[in-house]
Amino acid sequence: MISTVIDQSLGLEFPIFQGGMAWVADASLASGVANAGGLGLIAAMNSNGEQLREEIRKCKEMTDKPFGVNIMLMSPFADEVSDVVIEEGVKIVTTGAGNPAKYMEKWLAAGIKVIPVVASVALARKMEKCGAFAVVAEGGESGGHVGDLTTMALVPQVVDAVSIPVIAAGGIADGRQIAAAFMLGASGVQVGTRFLVAEECTIAQEYKNKILKARDIDTVVTGKRLGHPVRAIKNSFSREYTKKEYDSSNVSDEELESLGTGRLRMAAREGDVSNGTVLAGQVASMVKKEQPAREIIEEMFAQAEEVLNGMTKWVK
Ligand code: TUI
């Protein structure tokens, strides 16, 4: 059994987090992963305070295992949801796409374990100083909002820079990649893309099919010009957006911004995977079938153990 400070201190069976994916990570997925022994996370990204409160309460009905909330700091509702997690007694908060320093004091006072997602050594250091319990070091292989460094380069640099535990994210969809993360010094992993096809994941079937059909080179990063790059599966919308982003200097930033608005909801909830944004990581093509969350986690950790126990078999 692979066991680290992460599963031991958070009350999990396995040291694995489910990514706090916007428009995807609801009470159903978070409770599914929690019941399967991982850390389920509800994404607060697309909710205002009251909507998040309802989702947290739903999740409490669906599991008695620990779960957390991910707060996307670029969300217009970040301030109000930062209070709701306290009011609802959430014990674990992860953050993304920014620096959560201004919320840290009140979260720590409420006894919350704060685990920011970072894409650089500098932010990891700052978060350790602010009292973070751990950090998720996320490489640019991931889906959604991406930093510049790869997981392979970022994780060992963050591990060397801080004394708190590091969870590796970005490019992890099977046990070999979990084993690799441990070798880089991580104490756990965060997985997003593979959980998109979990049976407990409530996104449109068309979105799941797009993941299941993806090839290795089928993702693209758009949005660099506006300063918030996101990785998604290539489709007709990403081609239109890329063209406007790079080819047409007469398209204003405001126009580009409004072009992207609402696109993730369109894909994830309405199933329009041609005109919507299908966020996914570079490992989408490794995701082969729909499975219950428990099966996904057990399969990944069985393979990780096999790799770690018999290294030579895997070194070709
Ligand atoms: O946040 C994510 N992934 C996301 S958020 C999202 S919703 C969205 N995002 C952008 C535009 C429109 C919608 C979809 N996917 N992952 C965590 C993450 N955080 N990755 C990278 C970062 C990050 C990057 C820079 C964190 C901090 C940072 O700098 C902050 C600072 O002050 O240094």
Side-chain angles (χ1 to χ4, degrees), residues 70-100:
N70 172 264
I71 298 183
M72 211 288 267
L73 297 163
M74 279 163 54
S75 159
F77 306 115
D79 284 347
E80 57 181 274
V81 298
S82 75
D83 286 324
V84 171
V85 291
I86 297 172
E87 291 157 15
E88 291 301 311
V90 171
K91 290 286 166 248
I92 303 159
V93 166
T94 69
T95 63
N99 181 342

Side-chain angles (χ1 to χ4, degrees), residues 20-23 45-46 70-75 95-100 116-120 122-124 126-127 136-140 142-148 154 169 190 222-223 227-231 257 260 264 279:
M21 300 169 283
W23 290 108
M45 155 66 193
N46 46 286
N70 172 264
I71 298 183
M72 211 288 267
L73 297 163
M74 279 163 54
S75 159
T95 63
N99 181 342
V117 178
V118 303
S120 70
L123 187 60
K126 275 186 214 159
M127 293 300 98
V136 177
E138 186 180 275
S142 71
H145 186 72
V146 288
D148 287 329
L154 177 68
Q190 174 166 287
T222 58
H228 40 80
V230 296
R231 180 179 299 286
E257 188 84 53
L264 179 53
L279 296 184

Side-chain angles (χ1 to χ4, degrees), residues 9-197:
S9 54
L10 302 180
L12 312 172
E13 274 177 67
F14 300 92
I16 183 170
F17 293 6
Q18 157 247 314
M21 300 169 283
W23 290 108
V24 174
D26 57 6
S28 171
L29 182 59
S31 64
V33 171
N35 288 329
L39 182 70
L41 289 165
I42 296 171
M45 155 66 193
N46 46 286
S47 320
N48 63 29
E50 289 319 299
Q51 290 164 328
L52 176 65
R53 193 188 307 282
E54 199 178 309
E55 215 55 34
I56 292 169
R57 290 184 179 177
K58 229 191 264 176
C59 198
K60 284 178 190 162
E61 302 265 299
M62 296 169 88
T63 186
D64 53 6
K65 301 277 165 51
F67 68 91
V69 169
N70 172 264
I71 298 183
M72 211 288 267
L73 297 163
M74 279 163 54
S75 159
F77 306 115
D79 284 347
E80 57 181 274
V81 298
S82 75
D83 286 324
V84 171
V85 291
I86 297 172
E87 291 157 15
E88 291 301 311
V90 171
K91 290 286 166 248
I92 303 159
V93 166
T94 69
T95 63
N99 181 342
K102 68 171 173 173
Y103 304 123
M104 291 291 283
E105 211 176 324
K106 69 176 180 190
W107 285 341
L108 295 178
I112 294 174
K113 289 191 168 77
V114 186
I115 309 181
V117 178
V118 303
S120 70
V121 164
L123 187 60
R125 282 208 174 103
K126 275 186 214 159
M127 293 300 98
E128 179 178 38
K129 278 205 188 93
C130 289
F133 176 77
V135 288
V136 177
E138 186 180 275
E141 297 94 322
S142 71
H145 186 72
V146 288
D148 287 329
L149 296 179
T150 60
T151 303
M152 184 80 116
L154 177 68
V155 172
Q157 294 188 67
V158 171
V159 166
D160 286 348
V162 298
S163 315
I164 52 178
V166 176
I167 293 113
I172 301 175
D174 77 6
R176 293 169 300 178
Q177 291 156 329
I178 293 179
F182 286 130
M183 294 209 169
L184 298 176
S187 305
V189 294
Q190 174 166 287
V191 169
T193 303
R194 186 148 177 196
F195 283 123
L196 287 170
V197 300

Side-chain angles (χ1 to χ4, degrees), residues 281-302:
Q282 288 183 325
V283 289
S285 67
M286 296 174 67
V287 178
K288 306 278 193 235
K289 60 175 192 276
E290 296 177 58
Q291 290 170 296
R294 161 119 353 228
E295 211 174 282
I296 292 175
I297 293 177
E298 285 182 350
E299 202 174 285
M300 287 178 85
F301 276 87

